[in-house]
Amino acid sequence: MRILLVGAGGVGNSIAKIAARRAFFEVIVVTDYDLARAESTVAWIQAKHGPEVAQKFLADRIDASDASSVEEVARKHGATHVMNAVEPRFVQAIFAGALAAGANYLDMAMSLSEPHPTEPHSETGIKLGDDQFAQAADWEKAGTLALVGMGVEPGLSDVFARYAADHLFSDIDELGTRDGANLVVRDESGEEIFAPSFSIWTTIEECLNPPVVWEKERGWYTTEPFSEPEIFDFPDGIGPVECVNVEHEEVLLMPRWVDAKRVTFKYGLGNEFISILKTLHQLGLDKTAPLTVRSAAGPVAVSPRDVVAAGLPDPATLGPRMTGKTCAGLWVTGTGLDGQAREVYLYHVADNEWTMREYESQCVVWQTALNPVIALELLALGVWGGVGVLGPEAFDALPFLELMALPVEEGGYGQAWGLEDRAV
């Protein structure tokens, strides 16, 4: 397996670091628009693991917004798999470039919804991932696989959905992805600061778009941003967190392969975060269309959302100032295999102290990066396989979860996942 890794930001950097401890690939070409950033990732692997491991990593420059650039770099390095680790606005270009190069493809966020529905409960518009699924026949004809939504959320939560359907439930009422954390970021003086642990560009996109809900009798529909707040009790010391509806890929993926009556996604944002997002929207700072702005060099065209992103700390740099844990998981309700009502929460927790100590990566980006590496290994081993455009739910969940939890000394990733039976 020869992997073209597109993007050496927080998640891309973590993918390379996690993969450096594995042996399933021939080479990983770490690429970025900023070549120095890709070279920095390779240099870290050299310093941490030595030349024998580092020789399997190369650095190159790429323009993720240009399909021809992706195709050219993929062909140059003989890539068998293109791993997309950049913001979702670049999905379509990388997706097209990988197809043109005859390579397989993975991403962690799918093509954007457009135009965004503006009315509550709208059933119009292009949904997340629609553009990719519309090209499934092209991938089938090429005999290549596009595995979409293979991060943590979407990704691991979708693997949990497949596992629940196959091994825990005879009938599912709701598949509810629930994501919460107790993370705190402080400045140099120790004061707590506002610093999103993931790309603010993506966070704005997800949180200010109307959330999507799926119901078996109705199909997909949208509701108001931050709607249906609920208190969800997260494990491993995180505790109760208020979660709200957010637009996310799981709701667009799970119903395609898993039988359930309802599918939702709720995220623990917190009142401060929600207030800031609402203010950004009121000021028009969530917009992506460029505005003409004065500068010392004369008028320049600048996207307001890019200005917000530039003014906040890079999420990849937050690790040393961050404390706490993040939890990603799936809450499932329905009828168990014994015919009795059942409610479970399947989850994975990442502790920032551990991920920083082991990988010098903050826990949110590290947890996102873990899952595509496991998926790539299963593809390399031939345990997973297929053609066309598929989500994680299309594959047997058990090999993934077994490899994930298997101790490192026994050839696994040593990442235990949890299953909590909750009172019905």
Side-chain angles (χ1 to χ4, degrees), residues 3 53 72 78 147 162 173 176 203 213 243 260 272 274 299 331 333:
I3 302 166
V53 172
E72 178 185 352
L147 173 48
R162 177 79 274 155
D173 291 330
T203 301
V213 175
C243 297
E272 181 191 24
I274 290 173
W331 171 65
T333 62

Side-chain angles (χ1 to χ4, degrees), residues 174-178 212-213 245 250-251 262-266:
E174 181 169 346
L175 296 166
T177 304
R178 298 294 184 267
V212 181
V213 175
N245 280 325
E250 290 90 334
V251 181
R262 194 167 193 259
V263 183
T264 58
F265 177 95
K266 292 187 179 182

Side-chain angles (χ1 to χ4, degrees), residues 153 177-183 232-235 238-243 265-270 324-329 345 347-350 363-364 367:
E153 290 181 344
T177 304
R178 298 294 184 267
D179 185 343
N182 60 2
L183 298 170
F232 192 85
D233 193 15
F234 289 92
I238 295 174
V241 177
E242 184 180 75
C243 297
F265 177 95
K266 292 187 179 182
Y267 188 28
L269 292 171
K325 301 174 182 178
T326 184
C327 179
Y345 184 57
Y347 65 91
H348 176 259
V349 173
C363 60
V364 176
Q367 188 185 49

Side-chain angles (χ1 to χ4, degrees), residues 54-77:
Q55 68 180 352
K56 298 175 67 176
F57 290 82
L58 305 173
D60 206 344
R61 186 182 180 280
I62 202 165
D63 182 353
S65 69
D66 183 355
S68 62
S69 173
V70 175
E71 179 187 4
E72 178 185 352
V73 180
R75 290 188 181 279
K76 172 183 174 182
H77 294 283

